[in-house]
Amino acid sequence: MTDRPTRHRTVAVDVDAVPPSPPKAFPLPWYAVAILATVAVVAAGWLLLTGATTLGWLTSPDVDLDASLFLATDFLLLAHGVPVMVGGQLVTLVPLGLPLALVVLALPGAGLAARQATGAAAPADDTGRTRLDRERAVLRVAGTTAATQGVLIAGLALVLDSPSGVLPGLLGGLVLGAVSGLWGASRAIGFDPRHAWPGWLRSVPSALGYAVLVCLMGGTAALATALIVHRDRITFIHEALDPGVAGTILLVFVQLLYLPNLILWATSWALGAGVTLGDDSLLSMSVTDVGFLPSVPVLGAVGEPGLGGGAMFWWLAVGIVAGTVASLVVVLARPRARFDETALVGGLSGVGAGLLITLLCSLAGGALGQGRLNQLGATTDQLIIVAPVLLGLSGLVGGVVLGLVRRPPSTEPAESPDPAESTEAGDSAEFAEAGQP
């Protein structure tokens, strides 16, 4: 019989230590939080617009206060894709800055509702909770948020005696509510559906996001360049309007609401597709052909009619860099993947980013009235071809080159297995050792 050494362990006990108190639960259930937060966000958007239109009413004595309040409501409906009549003209050009602001404002409320649904105080508190619990919480919060916002906007359109706007308002509210609900709830409780995806597919959303971000940065740079080059014309238009202090504030506010639209238009231009500013008009790298434009200062950035120079085509590097960045994200996520896999996934990511850019640009277009200005925005019929091809080819070539350069020598240890498989293998080994004499 073998004697085992005796080991003495000293345990220090702090008798004055007070156990941490559990986090206080919010006094409302998760669905009440989601509903109230959505209502508050829509009300906040309306109040923001009301403040702007009231400022215009104060500087225009001939305009009734009721008209300014109805105008704010019309812009809120327009932000959800509902066509509205402004000054006797049909307006369908959605100011994308407003729905973007509504989504951002809705993130904290959706996160609070998701934490209520899972009983979590923070994303790190993940003990005793399964992935299925988090997934259900995210879907419930997103569904409640989407339904609430859709019903609110559809009901608002119905109250304003606009039956044709009920369906667009319902769809627009559902989309914005779902986006804010999914985003806010997932971020709050640390839910990431990519963990259940195949390894080669997990890097695609990140590659898409970075490629789209590069395109938008390129569009922003192109817009900023046009504003700087034609700043004298922009200043002349603003001075000719003579809006005063209040009018200047309103002009800046409205142009900021449409700033995302302008960036997407400039992105379409930088990718080689071009922009239309009305019937029979085209603004592209090769030609500028536009007619009468409304007296809006930012539109002074449009160049003089005529043929474009060869230097303009250097802007196509935006799409090439975006596709290359997509392939770089794929290679960094899977450093030991074969070059054919990185080429395929990089190319698919580039194509997907091009299609996503086309979708965003299609949402940024619309009408500012009937007649000549019945269509403004990117030429999506060309962009849907140019953008996926340019970004897809760049991602494909970048995936081949970076995959060959990045791949380590074959003498290095193999790629680490999946954590779940490692755990199962470790459990099996322990069980086998325990059964041995």
Side-chain angles (χ1 to χ4, degrees):
M1 185 175 182
T2 305
D3 294 334
R4 295 183 179 179
T6 303
R7 296 182 181 179
H8 299 280
R9 292 185 299 173
T10 303
V11 180
V13 180
D14 188 359
V15 296
D16 296 330
V18 179
S21 60
K24 294 182 179 180
F26 202 72
L28 295 176
W30 67 267
Y31 53 85
V33 174
I35 294 174
L36 292 178
T38 305
V39 174
V41 167
V42 174
W46 183 79
L47 289 175
L48 176 66
L49 294 171
T50 301
T53 56
T54 303
L55 180 62
W57 168 72
L58 291 174
T59 58
S60 302
D62 297 335
V63 179
D64 295 332
L65 179 59
D66 294 343
S68 65
L69 297 179
F70 277 113
L71 181 61
T73 308
D74 287 338
F75 264 90
L76 181 63
L77 294 175
L78 182 61
H80 291 82
V82 179
V84 297
M85 298 294 295
V86 178
Q89 298 291 327
L90 181 65
V91 177
T92 62
L93 184 62
V94 178
L96 293 183
L98 185 54
L100 182 60
L102 293 177
V103 169
V104 173
L105 289 176
L107 295 181
L112 179 59
R115 289 193 292 268
Q116 281 291 103
T118 56
D125 184 19
D126 200 24
T127 57
R129 229 174 41 245
T130 63
R131 177 181 175 276
L132 184 59
D133 295 331
R134 295 193 297 270
E135 182 179 2
R136 288 175 178 173
V138 170
L139 293 178
R140 288 174 180 175
V141 171
T144 304
T145 304
T148 303
Q149 193 159 344
V151 170
L152 277 177
I153 302 302
L156 188 59
L158 190 60
V159 169
L160 294 180
D161 197 16
S162 177
S164 60
V166 173
L167 182 57
L170 177 63
L171 295 178
L174 288 175
V175 171
L176 287 184
V179 170
S180 58
L182 290 173
W183 187 5
S186 299
R187 189 183 63 169
I189 62 176
F191 173 71
D192 190 352
R194 293 179 298 178
H195 292 322
W197 296 1
W200 65 270
L201 188 59
R202 294 175 189 172
S203 61
V204 171
S206 298
L208 284 173
Y210 280 106
V212 171
L213 180 61
V214 171
C215 290
L216 295 179
M217 291 174 61
T220 304
L223 177 62
T225 302
L227 292 174
I228 294 173
V229 170
H230 301 100
R231 60 185 180 277
D232 294 337
R233 185 185 306 167
I234 296 173
T235 304
F236 175 78
I237 295 175
H238 179 78
E239 292 177 349
L241 291 174
D242 191 18
V245 177
T248 300
I249 295 175
L250 287 176
L251 274 175
V252 172
F253 177 74
V254 172
Q255 291 175 106
L256 285 177
L257 289 181
Y258 280 103
L259 180 60
N261 302 66
L262 299 175
I263 292 176
L264 287 169
W265 296 359
T267 301
S268 175
W269 181 90
L271 294 177
V275 179
T276 178
L277 297 177
D279 289 340
D280 300 328
S281 68
L282 179 63
L283 180 62
S284 66
M285 296 179 182
S286 58
V287 63
T288 299
D289 182 14
V290 294
F292 171 77
L293 293 176
S295 297
V296 179
V298 71
L299 294 181
V302 178
E304 295 289 343
L307 299 177
M312 295 292 185
F313 289 93
W314 283 104
W315 285 101
L316 292 174
V318 171
I320 298 175
V321 173
T324 306
V325 167
S327 62
L328 178 61
V329 173
V330 172
V331 171
L332 293 178
R334 294 178 60 81
R336 290 198 55 82
R338 290 167 52 93
F339 71 91
D340 53 351
E341 178 183 331
T342 57
L344 178 60
V345 180
L348 290 176
S349 300
V351 171
L355 293 175
L356 185 56
I357 284 290
T358 304
L359 175 62
L360 293 176
C361 288
S362 66
L363 297 176
L368 277 180
Q370 301 171 349
R372 177 170 177 78
L373 298 179
N374 63 350
Q375 182 59 43
L376 292 87
T379 53
T380 52
D381 55 341
Q382 300 180 22
L383 185 63
I384 197 173
I385 299 174
V386 173
V389 170
L390 182 60
L391 272 70
L393 287 177
S394 302
L396 179 66
V397 175
V400 172
V401 175
L402 295 174
L404 291 173
V405 172
R406 174 66 177 165
R407 182 173 172 80
S410 57
T411 56
E412 292 189 2
E415 185 178 0
S416 60
D418 186 79
E421 296 178 359
S422 301
T423 304
E424 294 176 1
D427 294 341
S428 300
E430 294 177 1
F431 180 77
E433 292 177 0
Q436 293 179 357

